């Protein structure tokens, strides 16, 4: 998956997302953004405080609505 790809999936049977990330040790952050079936966005941050590649697991519970969007709960179902 490229960073700009959209994946349409019913995620109700999953606990979160898993990514392979190449860190550069800078401490900068990578934002992972999801959009649910209700057109609401949710984000999680990954600190790039490591060098080299590793698998990152982000539980859906860690995704929060961004500051530019009013709350809401992540709907993991997709019609």
């Amino acid at each position: 998956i490229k960073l700009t790809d959209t994946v349409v999936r019913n995620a109700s049977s999953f606990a979160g997302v898993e990514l392979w990330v190449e860190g550069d040790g800078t401490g900068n952050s990578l934002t992972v953004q999801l959009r649910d079936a209700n057109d609401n966005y949710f984000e999680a941050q990954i600190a790039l405080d490591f060098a080299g590649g590793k698998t990152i697991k982000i539980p859906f519970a860690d995704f929060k609505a961004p500051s530019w969007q009013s709350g809401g709960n992540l709907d993991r179902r997709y019609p």
Side-chain angles (χ1 to χ4, degrees):
I1 296 174
K2 294 183 295 188
L3 291 177
T4 57
D5 284 352
T6 299
V7 178
V8 177
R9 171 178 291 263
N10 181 336
S12 60
S13 64
F14 296 93
V17 296
E18 187 174 302
L19 313 167
W20 177 261
V21 177
E22 290 281 339
D24 59 6
T26 62
N28 290 326
S29 64
L30 170 69
T31 301
V32 179
Q33 187 179 76
L34 302 178
R35 186 178 79 196
D36 71 7
N38 298 313
D39 244 4
N40 292 316
Y41 289 83
F42 297 88
E43 297 177 343
Q45 304 285 322
I46 299 169
L48 300 176
D49 55 0
F50 58 93
K54 72 177 188 178
T55 300
I56 303 289
K57 296 179 182 181
I58 310 170
F60 286 125
D62 289 356
F63 283 85
K64 306 296 180 208
S67 60
W68 46 265
Q69 175 182 281
S70 59
N73 294 317
L74 177 62
D75 184 355
R76 298 183 333 210
R77 299 167 296 147
Y78 198 85

